[in-house]
Amino acid sequence: MNSKDVTIFDVHNHIHETPSEFEVLDVKGHTAYCVQATKYVDWDDVVRLKDSYRSIIIPAFGIHPWFVERVLSGEIPPTWADELRKMLTQHHAILGECGLDKAARNPETHQVYPFEPQIQLLETQLSIAHDLDIPVSLHCVRAFGALSDVLRKAESKGQLPPLLMLHSYSGSPDMLEQMFLKGELGRRTYVSFSSAVNGRNQTKSAKCIQIVPADRLLVESDLHGARATAAALETAIALVAEARGWSFSEAQLQLALNSRVFFGRYL
């Protein structure tokens, strides 16, 4: 990938899930997409997408908290951690999407996903990212205190991954500032915003955007199909620009610079 040609980075999406929309991908290389596999069975889908659009795809592999029950049941095999380590190394990927979620429910049982196993699942993945010295994309819904505890525990042991992305951050400005932007953890944390999630409450999102250091802001589409990503990214960039008092072009430039630092060796 020639990062000099890239002017927009979609730092978190799942466009591998809709192959019928691949035709709209920006093959000229002006947009780069970090495509996040979440459930083990889709890891190879991201590999195939990367192999087809190598110049614009940054792959990411992980197990999302929504699939923790598949780990517990053995549907995702016990060898998953070793396989994940191999995939990340072989395909030059970041780790994601992983994290914690106290809100989501199993669509079949209508029960919330068991939380303690989510913590164990996340800690294993963070340990892998630390060992491989690679960035992590983090999901968190209504579990920011627990996520902070997990990350601070890793920090105390000197086992934080080199960089962390809070994707589509939906917590409060105070939690963001107090839990994630202080100390060594704060120096390693980037915060990403999307129109899909953060456009729902623009007042709160603007306050969060204003708190994040300018060089730690990122944007994403968080979409499952490529067709709508361009418009979603434009809206997210405009959200950041308005909150920071920047022009659209100033925001686009700063966000691209930040993304180049976050992805670094992957470009």
Side-chain angles (χ1 to χ4, degrees), residues 211-227:
I211 286 171
V212 179
D215 61 354
R216 302 301 175 85
L217 288 163
L218 302 170
V219 291
E220 61 182 272
S221 70
D222 197 21
L223 295 179
H224 295 251
R227 190 161 290 131

Side-chain angles (χ1 to χ4, degrees), residues 10-187:
D10 184 352
V11 303
H12 186 108
N13 63 75
H14 310 282
I15 59 174
H16 62 290
E17 296 183 6
T18 314
S20 62
E21 298 186 13
F22 290 171
E23 64 198 40
V24 305
L25 289 172
D26 180 8
V27 293
K28 294 181 180 179
H30 300 302
T31 303
Y33 308 84
C34 184
V35 185
Q36 315 252 335
T38 60
K39 45 184 176 276
Y40 179 80
V41 294
D42 64 346
W43 293 354
D44 285 338
D45 295 334
V46 171
V47 172
R48 283 189 287 270
L49 176 58
K50 184 200 77 167
D51 288 345
S52 297
Y53 296 89
R54 186 174 297 274
S55 65
I56 58 173
I57 300 297
I58 301 166
F61 307 107
I63 298 181
H64 193 286
W66 294 355
F67 304 107
V68 66
E69 291 175 331
R70 298 186 188 183
V71 175
L72 296 174
S73 71
E75 181 179 347
I76 293 176
T79 57
W80 70 265
D82 290 336
E83 293 180 59
L84 176 59
R85 188 183 295 267
K86 182 178 178 180
M87 291 289 285
L88 292 165
T89 302
Q90 182 177 347
H91 298 288
H92 197 48
I94 76 165
L95 200 151
E97 173 182 6
C98 60
L100 300 174
D101 196 315
K102 285 187 174 181
R105 293 177 179 269
N106 183 312
E108 296 180 358
T109 66
H110 306 293
Q111 299 297 310
V112 296
Y113 296 107
F115 194 67
E116 285 303 317
Q118 289 185 45
I119 292 176
Q120 296 167 13
L121 179 64
L122 174 59
E123 288 180 334
T124 299
Q125 293 180 90
L126 290 173
S127 178
I128 291 171
H130 169 261
D131 291 346
L132 297 180
D133 196 35
I134 61 175
V136 178
S137 181
L138 290 164
H139 168 103
C140 190
V141 177
R142 299 182 187 174
F144 293 101
L147 177 61
S148 175
D149 289 344
V150 169
L151 295 175
R152 292 297 180 185
K153 178 181 174 182
E155 179 184 23
S156 70
K157 295 181 177 181
Q159 295 177 351
L160 275 176
L163 296 173
L164 301 152
M165 177 204 309
L166 298 176
H167 107 84
S168 285
Y169 176 78
S170 60
S172 73
D174 287 344
M175 285 193 296
L176 179 59
E177 184 173 30
Q178 297 301 319
M179 293 182 180
F180 300 105
L181 296 180
K182 293 183 180 297
E184 185 59 33
L185 174 60
R187 286 186 283 275

